[in-house]
Amino acid sequence: MSENNDGQRVFGDMPAGELVEYAFSLIDSAVDPDLAIEQLMVRMTAYFNVDIIVVREKTERGAAIKCTYEVSKNGNVKLKGLERRFLGNAWSEWDERYKRGGGCYKYKKSMGESPMLLMREDAVKSLIVIPFYNDGNFKGTVDFYDSENERDWTDSEIAEMKSISDIMFRYMFTLRSFAEKYEDLRNALKKDALTRLPKVDEFIKYVNDSISTDKNMDYVIISSDIANFKYINEKYGYNTGDLLLTKFAEMIYRRYKRVVSCCREFSDIFLIAIKCKKGESAENVCALVDQCNMSFLEEIKPITEDTNVAVNSGFAFVGDNELTVSEAITGATAARKAAKDMTVLKGSRSKAYEHSMIASKARTLEMISHCDEAIEKGQFQVYFQPKVRCDNYEIIGAEALIRWKKDDGKYILPDEFIPAFENNGCIVKADYYVYEQVFKYLRERLDKGLRCVPVSMNVSRVHLFNTKLVTVVDRLLEQYKVPVELLEFEITENVYLDRLPAVMFTVQWLRKMNIRVSIDDFGSGYSSLDTIAKLPVTTLKLDKVFMKDRLDEKDKIVISAVVDMAKKLGMDTICEGVETEEQKRFLEEAGCEKLQGFIFSKPVTMQEFSRMLEIE
Ligand code: C2E
Ligand code: MG
Ligand code: MG
């Protein structure tokens, strides 16, 4: 240390008072807090002209003291990480020493044998130990060593050592509590909040780790879901739904032997990884899965009372056909979906993955990869299916339905490509293409002064994950200036159940714009009219499932009640999939105003539809 022209003590080119400032600036900008502390300690050695500075902290359990940081001018670090136990009344003896020394302990070699425990004897000519207390509790010390000179420290030096040590300790504690909270947060993010199970990526990691450490076993991935879970949620409330999910998670650990890991993939779908002996048969795994599923169902019986709950499961062996863990998840998922078509055996359906199940996956991928090309080449076509008045077949509207005509002239039906498109966002492009064609069609007819009827467009569930639909419709309205009375959007019942707040936002916006909104496929899912009534929709569209070949008395009662209740809720009704005179007559009787179905017309091209309007 030297003095500058103003008589200030300096360290390098840094005036004395700025050591504290330097400490704060380091702390502020620290990316790696440990590094920041050591950097500060390096400056302190130079500033106080000592060889070594050591930070020691009382351990959590309190019986020992541990060296947590150590810097030495010659790079010779000896104590870091070392822990020493304090025996007997050592703590109080040290307290006494600090008190006697005016808040520190000063030592010089000439004083004779040192009472220090964790001492760098090699480096001691002089030593000063500054203790740190928090709320009156001893937390640790900062020790300054001089290996060359016996020093008489001035009061101002000691005061500076105290204040910089104080800053350092406080910074360390703040950091630690932040790090703990951060760790808690990280852990929380890694876990599913409801079941406390790990998230999917953690699950995959555990399974992979386990496979690489124990190669003498086979590994099976099981995918399970609670059938009709949405219905259960609706019937018993979300709290009960949550309770069932928690119970399922508990069952996994209790019932499955040799669980490697498990997670809730999403909603009511669980992934379970188990170990089994090499060459285990699919039949045995099936039996185990059924057993576990049934024990879960037995346990929840008192909760679900009169409802028959079922669990669907699919599983795949990791390594079979070279399946990786992720591929086995896909395989197990495909098998679970296939299991849904099986008859229920005491509430559990389980199926092993077969290679053919993925064949459809290849087709899905192929369709997805051709989506952009299909738009560019104009392979998507928009067909209109007329909607007619029930009593006189007058065309009062149309539904726009997409068709994909491949270059070879073959058609792919929407039921095949839409689910594939929904999984990767292609559907958004396809839907906007349809909307644009509808707006264009209406604009052209309006410009020509021709008769127009309202056209409804289907809204994929994917749109409801964000608010883009609103932006796009807004742009189309701006561009084509089509009167809102000519527009309608159809949202399927299942979408509504999944995403209430998002659907609410979109529906409210459309209604604010005076655009009609209908609930499509009502009756194909599990929502009740009661739930539907919460949405300000204008129309209820009864699904084809109501249109059985022969309507028995029960069917008729249900249809009449639905139409009646919809009316009471201020909605009008339309029934789709009407094919027979009998169905039509009954709908008219029941008071359903509109119908759509092959009885009047199949979906036709726009030109054909225009001709139909002109003939009327
Ligand atoms: P949806 O919206 O419920 O459309 C009605 C479906 O019923 C259409 O099938 C239609 O051709 C069919 N249909 C109409 N009348 C009858 C009948 O009397 N008997 C029978 N058996 N079926 C009839 P399509 O065109 O194959 O469409 C299937 C589904 O694909 C649609 O169901 C809709 O959910 C979806 N879809 C179609 N076009 C689009 C689109 O542009 N965007 C979106 N997101 N989905 C679309
Ligand atoms: Mg529809
Ligand atoms: Mg429909």
Side-chain angles (χ1 to χ4, degrees):
M1 199 155 18
S2 58
E3 287 191 356
N4 67 6
N5 296 340
D6 303 330
Q8 270 181 317
R9 288 184 310 143
V10 292
F11 156 61
D13 55 358
M14 184 170 65
E18 287 180 17
L19 181 63
V20 170
E21 236 173 75
Y22 173 73
F24 284 126
S25 74
L26 257 184
I27 289 165
D28 274 350
S29 59
V31 181
D32 178 342
D34 288 333
L35 191 69
I37 288 175
E38 285 181 353
Q39 248 176 297
L40 176 60
M41 287 165 72
V42 169
R43 286 273 170 132
M44 284 156 67
T45 53
Y47 183 78
F48 294 111
N49 197 19
V50 291
D51 301 279
I52 298 165
I53 298 181
V54 171
V55 173
R56 295 183 298 155
E57 293 178 63
K58 198 171 167 182
T59 57
E60 248 174 53
R61 269 171 278 119
I65 195 154
K66 181 176 181 179
C67 172
T68 43
Y69 299 96
E70 179 181 20
V71 298
S72 131
K73 259 186 185 165
N74 63 12
N76 190 353
V77 171
K78 286 188 160 179
L79 303 177
K80 197 171 172 185
L82 262 187
E83 198 173 308
R84 288 275 169 87
R85 291 182 68 76
F86 266 61
L87 301 170
N89 56 357
W91 291 118
S92 48
E93 279 175 19
W94 274 102
D95 264 346
E96 270 308 304
R97 278 188 198 109
Y98 297 139
K99 264 188 210 129
R100 276 202 308 274
C104 65
Y105 169 75
K106 285 175 261 175
Y107 170 82
K108 273 196 278 190
K109 194 154 185 150
S110 55
M111 278 165 62
E113 200 185 322
S114 87
M116 299 294 295
L117 277 170
L118 288 170
M119 216 151 91
R120 293 256 327 231
E121 310 226 359
D122 60 328
V124 180
K125 275 272 174 59
S126 306
L127 166 69
I128 187 154
V129 179
I130 310 278
F132 176 78
Y133 293 85
N134 196 19
D135 290 337
N137 299 315
F138 172 76
K139 293 288 180 188
T141 64
V142 184
D143 309 349
F144 300 80
Y145 292 84
D146 188 325
S147 62
E148 282 170 12
N149 309 298
E150 294 218 348
R151 303 250 300 254
D152 288 311
W153 314 88
T154 66
D155 286 350
S156 81
E157 268 174 328
I158 291 173
E160 276 180 305
M161 284 173 170
K162 279 183 183 163
S163 60
I164 198 79
S165 302
D166 193 77
I167 292 169
M168 222 164 67
F169 259 101
R170 284 184 199 288
Y171 171 57
M172 271 156 41
F173 290 135
T174 315
L175 273 179
R176 301 253 165 85
S177 77
F178 175 75
E180 274 162 24
K181 283 194 193 108
Y182 183 65
E183 199 48 37
D184 285 350
L185 187 72
R186 274 170 58 98
N187 285 336
L189 288 175
K190 272 191 212 157
K191 291 218 160 90
D192 169 33
L194 176 69
T195 59
R196 310 299 300 151
L197 297 180
K199 294 273 174 81
V200 183
D201 48 351
E202 284 289 303
F203 166 82
I204 295 177
K205 197 169 150 298
Y206 284 142
V207 182
N208 276 323
D209 286 352
S210 178
I211 291 174
S212 58
T213 48
D214 187 358
K215 294 195 169 72
N216 296 322
M217 303 294 275
D218 270 353
Y219 292 80
V220 183
I221 305 284
I222 304 158
S223 168
S224 293
D225 81 307
I226 303 170
N228 303 338
F229 187 67
K230 289 194 189 88
Y231 170 73
I232 294 168
N233 259 338
E234 222 185 281
K235 182 167 176 190
Y236 297 102
Y238 283 83
N239 285 343
T240 305
D242 285 355
L243 181 66
L244 294 199
L245 296 175
T246 321
K247 293 234 171 261
F248 197 88
E250 285 168 12
M251 176 281 288
I252 296 172
Y253 280 111
R254 247 200 343 263
R255 290 279 161 181
Y256 278 99
K257 283 172 229 130
R258 301 194 185 136
V259 176
V260 175
S261 181
C262 61
C263 69
R264 185 160 69 119
E265 194 180 11
F266 59 89
S267 183
D268 59 319
I269 300 172
F270 289 84
L271 294 173
I272 308 149
I274 55 166
K275 278 187 200 183
C276 52
K277 65 176 194 299
K278 279 263 176 225
E280 183 63 280
S281 71
E283 288 74 30
N284 283 350
V285 177
C286 238
L288 171 71
V289 171
D290 282 336
Q291 222 175 48
C292 294
N293 286 348
M294 283 183 314
S295 87
F296 162 73
L297 294 170
E298 198 52 44
E299 197 187 326
I300 60 158
K301 248 189 198 155
I303 306 170
T304 51
E305 302 152 351
D306 48 331
T307 308
N308 282 329
V309 183
V311 180
N312 307 311
S313 299
F315 61 90
F317 285 86
V318 180
D320 236 21
N321 285 317
E322 316 271 285
L323 289 186
T324 62
V325 172
S326 301
E327 285 164 350
I329 293 175
T330 312
T333 306
R336 172 175 54 76
K337 288 183 181 161
K340 286 187 181 171
D341 298 331
M342 297 164 67
T343 40
V344 187
L345 168 81
K346 290 189 191 149
S348 174
R349 284 179 285 216
S350 57
K351 213 175 176 63
Y353 162 71
E354 287 159 26
H355 195 53
S356 61
M357 290 169 181
I358 288 281
S360 63
K361 190 182 152 203
R363 172 135 176 87
T364 302
L365 289 176
E366 138 124 25
M367 285 192 293
I368 290 170
S369 67
H370 287 102
C371 171
D372 286 329
E373 185 193 329
I375 292 180
E376 266 165 40
K377 287 187 170 171
Q379 291 179 344
F380 288 125
Q381 297 179 352
V382 179
Y383 274 48
F384 280 180
Q385 185 174 33
K387 296 177 187 173
V388 297
R389 265 176 66 147
C390 210
D391 50 1
N392 62 2
Y393 281 163
E394 183 199 344
I395 298 175
I396 39 89
E399 175 177 8
L401 293 161
I402 194 167
R403 295 289 177 263
W404 186 354
K405 190 179 177 190
K406 303 285 286 206
D407 285 343
D408 59 9
K410 285 194 187 131
Y411 279 91
I412 309 180
L413 285 174
D415 276 339
E416 192 178 353
F417 67 84
I418 283 176
F421 279 13
E422 277 185 338
N423 281 332
N424 84 330
C426 278
I427 187 64
V428 176
K429 293 183 203 163
D431 270 2
Y432 293 157
Y433 176 80
V434 173
Y435 301 169
E436 182 113 35
Q437 300 308 309
V438 170
F439 274 75
K440 225 186 237 169
Y441 169 85
L442 290 169
R443 185 70 260 156
E444 273 171 28
R445 284 189 69 86
L446 287 164
D447 287 345
K448 288 182 188 154
L450 297 168
R451 180 182 164 221
C452 288
V453 289
V455 180
S456 63
M457 291 156 275
N458 288 288
V459 177
S460 153
R461 59 172 61 218
V462 178
H463 293 297
L464 299 161
F465 292 159
N466 56 47
T467 54
K468 209 172 157 211
L469 177 81
V470 165
T471 326
V472 169
V473 175
D474 206 30
R475 177 185 65 77
L476 291 169
L477 282 170
E478 177 69 31
Q479 186 178 344
Y480 293 98
K481 307 218 161 26
V482 171
V484 286
E485 309 82 74
L486 293 178
L487 305 169
E488 180 169 330
F489 286 92
E490 300 191 3
I491 296 173
T492 68
E493 188 202 84
N494 295 332
V495 163
Y496 166 62
L497 274 176
D498 277 356
R499 302 245 143 207
L500 183 58
V503 178
M504 198 56 117
F505 171 83
T506 308
V507 172
Q508 278 172 344
W509 184 85
L510 290 167
R511 290 303 298 132
K512 216 166 62 210
M513 301 297 288
N514 269 325
I515 297 175
R516 299 179 66 83
V517 180
S518 55
I519 292 292
D520 200 0
D521 303 335
F522 178 76
S524 64
Y526 297 96
S527 43
S528 59
L529 259 183
D530 190 42
T531 333
I532 298 284
K534 291 182 193 135
L535 273 183
V537 292
T538 38
T539 307
L540 193 71
K541 201 167 180 190
L542 277 71
D543 191 67
K544 304 190 258 299
V545 293
F546 286 111
M547 295 296 102
K548 303 217 182 103
D549 286 348
R550 296 218 69 81
L551 295 169
D552 63 23
E553 275 317 297
K554 255 193 188 162
D555 298 329
K556 289 183 178 175
I557 292 170
V558 173
I559 296 169
S560 304
V562 169
V563 172
D564 206 42
M565 282 200 312
K567 276 197 179 149
K568 286 193 180 119
L569 290 167
M571 303 177 201
D572 51 40
T573 44
I574 177 165
C575 189
E576 63 181 20
V578 187
E579 293 180 353
T580 67
E581 273 299 326
E582 188 215 341
Q583 292 166 343
K584 186 223 149 202
R585 254 197 319 276
F586 172 69
L587 287 168
E588 199 177 346
E589 234 172 74
C592 179
E593 298 95 347
K594 293 174 256 176
L595 59 87
Q596 179 181 344
F598 297 167
I599 188 171
F600 183 76
S601 167
K602 291 197 167 182
V604 294
T605 60
M606 287 179 172
Q607 295 76 0
E608 181 61 28
F609 182 73
S610 295
R611 270 198 296 277
M612 289 167 102
L613 283 182
E614 263 114 59
I615 299 165
E616 273 202 323

